[in-house]
Amino acid sequence: MPFALAFKIASKTGSLWSEFIAKATHGPYSHVECWIQGPQSAAVCYSSREGTGVHPATIDLTQPMWKIFSIPTTVAQDDAIIWFCRGAEGKAYDYLDLIVADGGRGIHKAWARICSEFCTEVVQQCIGLIGSEESWAVSPNRLAVILNVPS
């Protein structure tokens, strides 16, 4: 299975919090997941989530709230992604970074992650894309722009 990012479309979630995040970060997305295994209806995803931090979750990505963006990978990159994700399990959610993501204001906890920061690191370190972008300053919407995710 190729690696993919799943972007959550805030307007399709029914959540005012999601819509606030999307508006504050200048785009349609409020969250992003790394889809690493399984079918779209029971996708094994890694991300950092409020309340739990970095961990895997099984998510139905067939729901209309998800925009899937596939990134071609090699077998070696797929292995690197799985090991990177497992190694990051347990990192806390960075609530402070959530407030400043997409603004680059320099506030960041090195031991904690937001969703887009984690996904940016996966793409940078395991696939070799994105270059030197500061992962802690990347929102889901900024990540979509960097990767040229079609609307």
Side-chain angles (χ1 to χ4, degrees):
M1 186 205 106
F3 173 79
L5 294 172
F7 292 88
K8 188 180 278 186
I9 303 166
S11 64
K12 295 184 178 184
T13 65
S15 164
L16 291 176
W17 178 244
S18 285
E19 290 188 35
F20 170 77
I21 292 170
K23 184 175 181 177
T25 60
H26 315 290
Y29 308 117
S30 61
H31 181 71
V32 62
E33 295 275 343
C34 292
W35 175 13
I36 65 166
Q37 292 177 327
Q40 190 170 352
S41 60
V44 177
C45 298
Y46 270 84
S47 192
S48 187
R49 301 173 193 88
E50 298 162 24
T52 57
V54 176
H55 72 282
T58 301
I59 301 172
D60 180 359
L61 296 178
T62 64
Q63 296 177 30
M65 74 177 78
W66 294 105
K67 168 75 173 180
I68 308 302
F69 182 70
S70 295
I71 300 174
T73 54
T74 65
V75 172
Q77 289 170 327
D78 289 339
D79 288 343
I81 291 165
I82 289 170
W83 285 108
F84 184 91
C85 290
R86 288 181 180 162
E89 277 185 46
K91 286 190 177 195
Y93 189 81
D94 193 348
Y95 288 93
L96 186 58
D97 202 19
L98 175 65
I99 297 167
V100 299
D102 209 43
R105 294 184 184 94
I107 302 170
H108 172 63
K109 296 177 187 166
W111 48 268
R113 297 289 180 272
I114 59 171
C115 64
S116 49
E117 175 182 12
F118 174 76
C119 293
T120 298
E121 288 176 338
V122 169
V123 173
Q124 283 177 319
Q125 296 181 36
C126 301
I127 304 173
L129 299 177
I130 302 179
S132 62
E133 193 82 26
E134 293 287 350
S135 61
W136 59 266
V138 175
S139 70
N141 290 298
R142 176 76 183 128
L143 182 57
V145 168
I146 293 167
L147 294 173
N148 295 311
V149 175
S151 300

